[in-house]
Amino acid sequence: MTSKNESLFEQSQKVIPGGVNSPVRAFRSVGGTPLFFQRGQGAYVWDADGKKYTDYVGSWGPMIVGHCHPQVVKAVQDAAAQGLGFGAPTASELELANLLCKILPSLEMVRLVSSGTEATMSAIRLARGFTGRSRIVKFEGCYHGHSDGLLVKAGSGALTFGQPSSSGVPAEIAALTTVLDYNDAAGLEKTFADMGKEIAAVIVEPVAGNMNLVAPKREFLDALRNLCTKHGAVLILDEVMTGFRVSLQGAQGYYGIKPDLVTLGKVMGGGLPAAAFGGRRDIMNCLAPLGAVYQAGTLSGNPVAVAAGLTTLQLVQAPGFYDNLAKLAKQLTEGLTAAAKKHNIDFCAQSVGGMFGLYFSKTLPTSYAEVMKCDKEAFNRFFHAMLDAGHYLAPSAFEAGFVSAAHTEADIAATVAAADKIFSVWQ
Ligand SMILES: *Cc1c(COP(=O)(O)O)cnc(C)c1O
């Protein structure tokens, strides 16, 4: 008997390329049929066949207060009843902009957009307009959305010019992107020494969360800040994932690093399409209609999305919110690590605030190359066994995981117990 998930996937493949509207959903990495979800509540989601899962994906990050938080749902309903959109300014956009600038001291001005891709793409254009330079620097394994110049990762050499990692990206555009190794402060210093005058911006995930999770080294963060300042390049912290996730003030607050521009998304939309970029006033003043750098959006600052984001950002300011989130993530990673150790499995895990990484490896990876050495087949087996047991992890060994404030210690303990059972018969 085919399940509803299987039937929906079969039908979807006829009208949607690969049956999905974003490739990571397709289970290509882990194999099998992607789940079609019908609803979520708190820490749980239910698939089209009615099976319940404890959710560690959280819509890839946004659901930090859990699914269908009553206050978020109410705010969205109230906003919708007032009008779904105007394409004109509203007071709620001002409220959200003020709140973002209040929470993140590095934001002197902010512009709302609808996706993380838009935020990073616009921040790059702005940095180029501000500096009058063309080259950008990114790090292998960091994802900054799917605009042309950012869909580039290097070959193995540290200082190679960019090779597009997608067909359809002209080599001429990729050539303007220099790709370096994450956490390689010396490589960054050499690049600046060689071509510092050409570099408009360095863009980085301050905790890399799109190649599993790779934590930044202190010397790397310091090099980013110091070298950008020294050479007049714009430091863009891409906090689309880490913003309001690793701490209230994101990774910039967690590690104490001040960016020139910040990109935000995911949590700040509370599950709806809202994102932003912002930072130094002198840079933001270059944006149209004040300045010559053009950027626009029919749906930017959409009132329903803004309501979801505003309410979510009010909820995460509750005292102890991030201590609790970090404690839950730690309980999960320490529990899984202990279970694997008990059964002699090469596995380790770590968390930063409310995000975590799981690795079938003896040691924590610090670069893309090290992440690639983790045992992907072991992860895929683990993923499917956990899925069967009702625990939904990201369907790829190369994604970070997320907990929400709706998870309880009992939820995490149940997930750890399920993993322990899987590891006990692991061969
Ligand atoms: C998700 C993500 C993006 C892209 O955001 P979209 O809303 O999917 O376009 C950009 N940067 C980082 C760090 C992300 O995690």
Side-chain angles (χ1 to χ4, degrees):
M1 198 185 78
T2 51
S3 70
K4 261 201 186 142
N5 282 313
E6 282 162 2
S7 156
L8 286 169
F9 188 45
E10 225 176 86
Q11 296 172 58
S12 294
Q13 285 169 288
K14 293 183 185 143
V15 285
I16 302 172
V20 293
N21 283 314
S22 194
V24 288
R25 300 178 190 171
F27 275 39
R28 285 285 166 104
S29 175
V30 291
T33 307
L35 301 183
F36 283 64
F37 288 109
Q38 51 169 314
R39 76 186 182 93
Q41 185 62 58
Y44 314 116
V45 285
W46 284 261
D47 72 12
D49 292 300
K51 180 169 168 158
K52 178 185 176 187
Y53 303 84
T54 306
D55 181 16
Y56 292 98
V57 180
S59 191
W60 301 92
M63 311 314 302
I64 199 165
V65 296
H67 292 274
C68 286
H69 189 289
Q71 277 168 259
V72 178
V73 172
K74 169 94 173 41
V76 165
Q77 288 169 336
D78 289 351
Q82 296 294 316
L84 294 176
F86 306 101
T90 58
S92 61
E93 284 164 79
L94 168 64
E95 200 184 336
L96 181 55
N98 271 328
L99 183 59
L100 291 170
C101 293
K102 188 188 110 192
I103 294 175
L104 295 174
S106 64
L107 294 185
E108 291 170 352
M109 294 181 105
V110 67
R111 175 156 286 173
L112 303 184
V113 293
S114 302
S115 73
T117 293
E118 249 189 291
T120 51
M121 180 185 82
S122 306
I124 294 287
R125 182 180 305 138
L126 178 58
R128 283 175 165 154
F130 174 74
T131 57
R133 303 171 179 177
S134 297
R135 178 159 301 283
I136 59 173
V137 174
K138 75 176 285 289
F139 299 91
E140 188 171 24
C142 283
Y143 177 68
H144 304 292
H146 60 89
S147 69
D148 284 350
L150 293 170
L151 263 193
V152 179
K153 67 182 183 191
S156 45
L159 270 178
T160 46
F161 283 108
Q163 295 286 322
S165 52
S166 163
S167 132
V169 175
E172 292 86 346
I173 290 179
L176 290 175
T177 304
T178 296
V179 185
L180 302 176
D181 285 333
Y182 196 80
N183 269 328
D184 180 9
L188 186 64
E189 185 158 6
K190 183 168 186 314
T191 299
F192 266 109
D194 289 350
M195 46 176 136
K197 284 200 173 64
E198 290 174 41
I199 298 171
V202 178
I203 185 166
V204 65
E205 287 182 71
V207 178
N210 287 288
M211 50 167 159
N212 203 328
L213 185 158
V214 175
K217 292 180 180 165
R218 183 74 248 172
E219 59 171 25
F220 178 60
L221 295 176
D222 291 342
L224 284 164
R225 180 62 279 169
N226 295 337
L227 290 165
C228 284
T229 302
K230 186 173 161 197
H231 294 272
V234 174
L235 176 59
I236 304 172
L237 288 190
D238 181 359
E239 296 233 47
V240 170
M241 183 183 289
T242 54
F244 318 105
R245 169 54 68 182
V246 302
S247 81
L248 179 62
Q249 295 184 340
Q252 55 196 281
Y254 191 95
Y255 293 104
I257 171 171
K258 193 166 190 290
D260 301 308
L261 289 179
V262 185
T263 52
L264 298 165
K266 298 195 168 105
V267 170
M268 77 150 276
L272 288 185
F277 64 101
R280 272 167 47 187
R281 187 176 301 276
D282 58 337
I283 303 178
M284 294 302 284
N285 276 339
C286 296
L287 264 189
L290 293 180
V293 177
Y294 196 70
Q295 185 279 329
T298 302
L299 297 176
S300 294
N302 174 270
V304 182
V306 164
L310 251 182
T311 310
T312 299
L313 292 186
Q314 279 151 1
L315 290 166
V316 300
Q317 291 178 82
F321 183 93
Y322 287 94
D323 290 342
N324 176 54
L325 206 64
K327 203 172 117 201
L328 292 167
K330 222 176 164 110
Q331 185 195 342
L332 178 68
T333 54
E334 289 182 352
L336 294 176
T337 305
K341 192 164 177 213
K342 191 166 100 188
H343 303 293
N344 281 316
I345 294 161
D346 289 340
F347 174 92
C348 54
Q350 67 180 332
S351 61
V352 182
M355 62 192 274
F356 64 84
L358 312 177
Y359 322 88
F360 282 86
S361 154
K362 280 193 170 77
T363 53
L364 298 173
T366 61
S367 68
Y368 179 78
E370 286 178 26
V371 169
M372 289 302 131
K373 285 188 198 140
C374 295
D375 187 343
K376 184 170 169 274
E377 293 313 313
F379 174 83
N380 291 352
R381 272 176 63 203
F382 180 67
F383 168 83
H384 279 291
M386 290 297 280
L387 198 65
D388 285 346
H391 305 271
Y392 184 59
L393 299 167
S396 163
F398 308 120
E399 301 288 349
F402 307 102
V403 292
S404 80
H407 286 75
T408 63
E409 287 183 23
D411 289 326
I412 307 279
T415 299
V416 170
D420 185 75
K421 200 167 155 203
I422 291 162
F423 285 153
S424 73
V425 292
W426 194 261
Q427 272 315 322

